[in-house]
Amino acid sequence: MKAKKNFLQGALFGALIMLCGTGVVSCGIRLSEDASSEEKLSVLKGLIDENYIGDVDEEALEEGIYKGYIQGLEDPYSVYYNEEETKDLYETTEGEYSGIGAVLSQDLESGVITLVQIYEDSPAAKAGLKDNDILTKVGDIEVTGMDLSEVVTYIKGEKGTDVDLTVLRGEDAEEITVTATRDTVEAQTVKYEMLEGQTGYLSVSEFDSVTYAQYEEALNELTAQGMTGLIVDLRNNPGGNLNTVCEMLDLVLPKGTIVYTEDKDGKRETATSDDEHQINVPMVVLVNGNSASASEIYAGAIQDYGIGKIVGTQTYGKGVVQQIFDLGDGTSVKLTIAEYFTPNGRSIDGEGITPDVEVEYEADENNPEADNQLEKALEVMKEEQ
């Protein structure tokens, strides 16, 4: 009986192996411990050529090597871009592209991607997408955890073409799939209006090449209307171009340091403001946990010079600078090259900017337009005016 039992156990185990369809097979190849990467890649290619049953895209294999090499840095901000991704990347930084008109933000710990802003009259808005929708799929591609820049390349595309997007909405995480028709979108990165008490309100959604001109126009228009105080809203602003935010700060800061960076060798580069322009009315800067990078440079400078109050919640804490390197063949790589510091020498990487007045956002179900953080900013402004 024991022998029979062992036989049955062996038969069941063998059947399980067959059902699973997996097994370990020795390939008869022995790499030395000091084998070069070229030798190992050659062995892997040989195994694929001889054994892999699927279709092989040699170009995709090569791209995978480059992407994996940069991913080995374990730096979420350093990325390799192929030709198509590089083209889309440069279009994005210019502020004009063929896409759907939505601002995306990603939580680095969970990999969750949120549509933090939908442009008015954009393809995204026409398709029914809303602020704070959680993006889960582009077409059939699961995007949670994927590099945000790569996700953007899937969303953008030729004008007139369609893209399906699946999102989770609301507390019940209702799954919704919509189809958006891509169109030429010029990022409307600045919105402004005059609020009560002649307080100017200026919202900046990102720092692109087009942002400076929009920001300068908004400041001039609000000033012409008799602005006696200014609220700059950087909530959900993921950052952008370092030069752009420095040019914008030069319009409001007194003469002095805007921000400085230090590279791996300790070499310092400093951006400064002149005394030609500076704000002469009280300021309040609104921030939250999605205010990152260039947004934190802006808020940090205003706070260090003491020319405005920071209101909201702790910012994201991205205090490092990336540079895009053109590899000469249409591809590129983005690498973290330096850490930045506020005028007073504060490093906020992993820490963020702590508001002078902390207030959590509280949604009002009875009044979707209500904004308790903005209301607090107006209260603070009244005290300063």
Side-chain angles (χ1 to χ4, degrees), residues 190-195 198-203 214-232 279 281:
V190 175
K191 296 179 182 179
Y192 66 95
E193 61 179 311
M194 190 68 79
L195 301 179
Q198 288 301 99
T199 298
Y201 172 80
L202 193 158
S203 172
Q214 295 174 9
Y215 175 84
E216 184 179 34
E217 179 184 355
L219 276 180
N220 290 339
E221 181 61 29
L222 290 170
T223 299
Q225 293 178 29
M227 173 178 68
T228 60
L230 175 64
I231 296 175
V232 178
I279 199 78
V281 297

Side-chain angles (χ1 to χ4, degrees), residues 28-79:
I29 299 172
R30 294 289 183 271
L31 283 169
S32 63
E33 292 184 0
D34 59 350
S36 67
S37 57
E38 289 82 2
E39 289 176 304
K40 193 163 188 175
L41 284 173
S42 178
V43 168
L44 293 175
K45 186 178 186 309
L47 289 172
I48 292 171
D49 291 343
E50 294 177 19
N51 301 283
Y52 182 64
I53 65 171
D55 295 329
V56 178
D57 184 334
E58 295 291 345
E59 184 176 342
L61 279 178
E62 288 189 17
E63 296 291 347
I65 293 171
Y66 309 139
K67 283 186 177 293
Y69 191 74
I70 299 301
Q71 287 173 356
L73 295 172
E74 297 185 347
D75 174 15
Y77 309 121
S78 294
V79 185

Side-chain angles (χ1 to χ4, degrees), residues 7-19:
F7 172 79
L8 288 173
Q9 287 177 334
L12 288 171
F13 182 74
L16 183 61
I17 290 290
M18 293 180 67
L19 287 171

